[in-house]
Amino acid sequence: MMKTDWLKIILICISIVIAGYFVGNMHKTGKKYDRFVQVKGLSEREVNADLAVWPINITLTGNDLNTLKSDIESQNSEVYNFFIAQGFDKNELTKGSTNINDVRADIYNSNFQNNTFRYLAKSEFTVRTNDIDKLQKALSESLELMSKGIILGSKNTWRPIEYIFTGLNELKPPMIEEATKNAREVAEKFARDSDAQVGEIRMASQGLFSITDRDENTPQIKLVRVVSTIDFQLEN
């Protein structure tokens, strides 16, 4: 009976020692794993827009609807032929709707009797192309339409032409790689100052890609940017 009790006590002690070893080792490993540095990596690219959309308004005035209808058709045809002459394909040009406002029917215009023209017409026309240079050339040449009495205006006055970059998916892999490399360089600088070495990536969070104009004067040149947040393990 005594031998059995001693055997139980010995087994319990051995179990406590083994458990203590594993608990201590887990604590030591956990402390080691807690040694990390969080840094941010940046990657930027300047790219040219590869799609341009120019929403145009053709504005006309008149007092006779039949005459106004004829003028609208004539000017729409002139604008369409102008862009065709500039080298645009038919699938790059879209004729939109035409809106006609009757000044006399506007209840908020109490001075309608002073207006020279009763009707105001706006005809929509959209140019959508991947050839940015061709569109910019057409933009500079469009002044010749004024000599024919055609007034072109952009539907979006704050941004007459919208320039778009559609090749983001091709840029993502190399930019993420560059951001990760940049983050590791920052981590290595921090590790040297802390007398440590950079180990494996502990956690990584990819930031959102942003596409903005390089500046207000060159909206056709875009700045693509991404910032990644990465935790690197630190080792002795």
Side-chain angles (χ1 to χ4, degrees), residues 2 7 27 45 53 59 63 68 70 73 80 82 88 92-93 102 104-105 110 117 144-145 149 151 154 194 213 227 236:
M2 290 291 294
L7 182 60
H27 180 71
R45 294 278 198 284
V53 181
T59 305
N63 290 312
L68 187 60
S70 177
E73 292 174 348
Y80 182 82
F82 166 78
F88 288 86
E92 295 176 303
L93 310 174
D102 186 346
R104 295 180 185 175
S110 57
F117 299 102
E144 72 178 54
L145 291 172
I151 301 175
S154 179
S194 305
D213 296 344
V227 177
N236 294 328

Side-chain angles (χ1 to χ4, degrees), residues 6-24:
W6 275 106
L7 182 60
K8 290 180 179 179
I9 293 172
I10 292 171
L11 290 175
I12 291 173
C13 290
I14 293 173
S15 299
I16 292 174
V17 171
I18 294 174
Y21 169 80
F22 280 109
V23 170

Side-chain angles (χ1 to χ4, degrees), residues 123-141:
S123 185
E124 296 179 352
F125 192 91
T126 302
V127 182
R128 183 184 180 92
T129 180
N130 298 110
D131 194 332
I132 307 299
D133 293 336
K134 183 172 65 177
L135 181 66
Q136 291 181 328
K137 180 178 179 295
L139 179 62
S140 63
E141 297 288 340

Side-chain angles (χ1 to χ4, degrees), residues 1 12 51 72 81 90 111 124 126 131 142 149 154 188 190 224:
M1 184 70 178
I12 291 173
L51 175 64
I72 290 172
N81 291 333
K90 293 181 179 180
N111 298 319
E124 296 179 352
T126 302
D131 194 332
S142 63
S154 179
E188 288 174 347
F190 180 88
V224 183

Side-chain angles (χ1 to χ4, degrees), residues 60-96:
L60 301 94
T61 55
N63 290 312
D64 181 78
L65 285 177
N66 289 327
T67 302
L68 187 60
K69 176 179 178 296
S70 177
D71 290 342
I72 290 172
E73 292 174 348
S74 175
Q75 290 201 8
N76 281 347
S77 179
E78 287 282 356
V79 172
Y80 182 82
N81 291 333
F82 166 78
F83 283 105
I84 291 295
Q86 291 292 319
F88 288 86
D89 295 329
K90 293 181 179 180
N91 57 5
E92 295 176 303
L93 310 174
T94 303
K95 293 181 181 179

